[in-house]
Amino acid sequence: MEIIEKASKVYWDNFNGEVWFGRCIFLSWYCGLGSCKFCYRAINKGHNINREKARRSLNSILAETILCKKLNWKLEFLTSGYDALDADELLEICKEVSRVYGKKIWLNVGVLSEEELNKLKKYVEGIVASIETCNRELHKKICPDKKFEEYEEMLNIKGFKKSATIVIGLGEKKDDFLKLKEFIEEYKLDKITFYALKPIKEGFYSEGPERNYYAWWIANTRINFPRLEIMAGVTVKRVEDVDILLKSGANGITKFPITKYFGGEKTKLFEKLVKESGRKLISNLNSLDGIDFSDVGEDVKEKLEVYLNKMRKS
């Protein structure tokens, strides 16, 4: 608690208390690797499914983008597995999502070359390295086909803001925080997203990290990097962690499946815990009243209605 209190003070010395919900938009369920031991794609053989059928339609992606804009959810990043889309497809998606969202976006789709990124520069603000852990030996075991060095090369490409995703509970130790600290410093990250490991049925892991241990990583990151944007992921089963993660210095909360639980009891608990932490939620997680969707084009409206109907039911 002493560390969390210190992190909370550092947060309030540098930020205004606003909390937002960050929405990651998936582009495809395919992954050309499908071998990371914590990932459902390894269990479900994501590299064996049909690459074309696993891809979401552009209208579905844009419908979700519209929800982000209308309900003030921050678009965390566009994401997919490795090699899920070719360069032209990715360019078209980034162009259209950026147009609808009204600003440049972040991208987390594996390792991209400088040539590939430069083609996206007009629409992409930042790139995310999904390294998962800074313990390189652990990384080799958990993500045998992901090359840590390739992500480092990507982060050295100039002209983009930088971020990384870290999963807590993979087998790292507290001593590994020094490795994370060095990584953030070396690549001058602008933000970082933490996730608590979510065990997958028939997977390599049987349980996720204890909440205080998860918060410890966020608190220490906040203390060492006062102005870094820190996002913390919570699942439905971990929604009770919202208050401690915010008190530890997280700027926002991500991963929560909001369209499925919009306005429901879990979302009400989410909002309650934000308030109890002394922070102010600026994203709409509870009501569609007064939200105008009349400007949505007919081509996207059908897909949008699927989301809205699900949210109204919840």
Side-chain angles (χ1 to χ4, degrees):
M1 291 307 299
E2 184 178 342
I3 292 174
I4 290 174
E5 288 173 6
K6 183 177 180 180
S8 182
K9 183 180 186 305
V10 173
Y11 170 85
W12 282 106
D13 286 344
N14 291 277
F15 297 98
N16 65 4
E18 292 184 342
V19 177
W20 60 86
F21 174 69
R23 180 71 168 181
C24 303
I25 298 181
F26 278 81
L27 307 181
S28 170
W29 311 112
Y30 172 85
C31 180
L33 302 182
S35 58
C36 294
K37 293 184 178 180
F38 65 91
C39 183
Y40 73 92
R41 292 187 181 95
I43 306 304
N44 297 333
K45 307 299 181 186
H47 60 294
N48 287 335
I49 64 176
N50 187 293
R51 184 173 179 264
E52 300 302 317
K53 291 182 179 179
R55 184 181 307 143
R56 292 181 64 191
S57 71
L58 178 58
N59 285 342
S60 177
I61 293 167
L62 294 181
E64 205 169 342
T65 304
I66 289 167
L67 288 175
C68 289
K69 186 174 182 178
K70 298 282 188 179
L71 300 175
N72 205 29
W73 306 342
K74 184 174 284 191
L75 204 170
E76 181 80 356
F77 46 65
L78 301 184
T79 187
S80 73
Y82 264 69
D83 301 322
L85 302 159
D86 63 37
D88 290 338
E89 291 171 324
L90 189 58
L91 175 61
E92 178 65 15
I93 291 171
C94 290
K95 177 182 177 180
E96 289 303 302
V97 170
S98 176
R99 177 185 64 80
V100 170
Y101 191 53
K103 59 181 73 173
K104 287 186 175 184
I105 56 177
W106 285 72
L107 205 54
N108 179 7
V109 294
V111 175
L112 296 173
S113 68
E114 185 169 5
E115 181 182 359
E116 289 171 322
L117 281 171
N118 283 334
K119 290 179 180 179
L120 301 169
K121 200 168 189 176
K122 187 175 178 180
Y123 313 107
V124 174
E125 175 185 14
I127 50 177
V128 183
S130 54
I131 56 170
E132 324 308 2
T133 177
C134 285
N135 180 322
R136 293 176 186 249
E137 291 305 310
L138 179 61
H139 184 275
K140 289 178 183 177
K141 295 177 183 178
I142 303 305
C143 306
D145 297 312
K146 273 188 180 182
K147 305 302 180 185
F148 199 99
E149 298 76 14
E150 291 180 353
Y151 275 118
E152 291 182 300
E153 291 175 9
M154 184 178 75
L155 290 176
N156 276 323
I157 297 172
K158 296 180 180 179
F160 298 88
K161 290 184 177 181
K162 311 291 171 58
S163 180
T165 58
I166 299 292
V167 179
I168 302 301
L170 294 175
E172 75 292 326
K173 306 297 182 183
K174 286 185 175 180
D175 288 347
D176 290 327
F177 179 76
L178 291 177
K179 299 180 180 70
L180 175 62
K181 182 174 182 289
E182 290 169 0
F183 186 87
I184 294 172
E185 290 172 340
E186 181 173 358
Y187 295 102
K188 299 179 174 59
L189 299 190
D190 298 281
K191 67 176 180 177
I192 190 166
T193 300
F194 286 97
Y195 299 109
L197 173 71
K198 178 184 177 182
I200 305 298
K201 187 178 180 180
E202 300 179 9
F204 186 77
Y205 295 95
S206 60
E207 60 183 3
E210 191 271 330
R211 74 194 300 262
N212 288 341
Y213 177 69
Y214 183 29
W216 181 92
W217 280 84
I218 292 171
N220 276 279
T221 303
R222 173 55 66 216
I223 292 166
N224 283 274
F225 301 96
R227 292 295 301 170
L228 182 69
E229 181 179 312
I230 301 175
M231 297 297 292
V234 299
T235 60
V236 173
K237 291 184 178 180
R238 299 193 70 113
V239 71
E240 292 85 359
D241 294 352
V242 165
D243 60 341
I244 195 172
L245 300 178
L246 294 178
K247 289 175 181 176
S248 298
N251 294 93
I253 301 295
T254 187
K255 195 175 175 65
F256 184 80
I258 185 60
T259 54
K260 185 176 181 179
Y261 293 93
F262 187 82
E265 291 304 314
K266 290 291 186 179
T267 305
K268 288 182 173 65
L269 176 58
F270 187 126
E271 294 178 322
K272 178 175 177 285
L273 292 174
V274 172
K275 187 174 182 179
E276 289 179 355
S277 73
R279 305 277 289 279
K280 179 183 178 182
L281 183 64
I282 62 173
S283 298
N284 181 351
L285 309 181
N286 189 53
S287 176
L288 294 172
D289 293 346
I291 307 298
D292 182 15
F293 294 103
S294 62
D295 57 342
V296 178
E298 291 298 324
D299 51 343
V300 179
K301 188 170 291 185
E302 182 180 350
K303 294 293 185 180
L304 179 61
E305 279 300 320
V306 174
Y307 281 105
L308 295 177
N309 287 335
K310 181 190 297 184
M311 293 160 70
R312 291 181 184 113
K313 287 178 182 178
S314 69

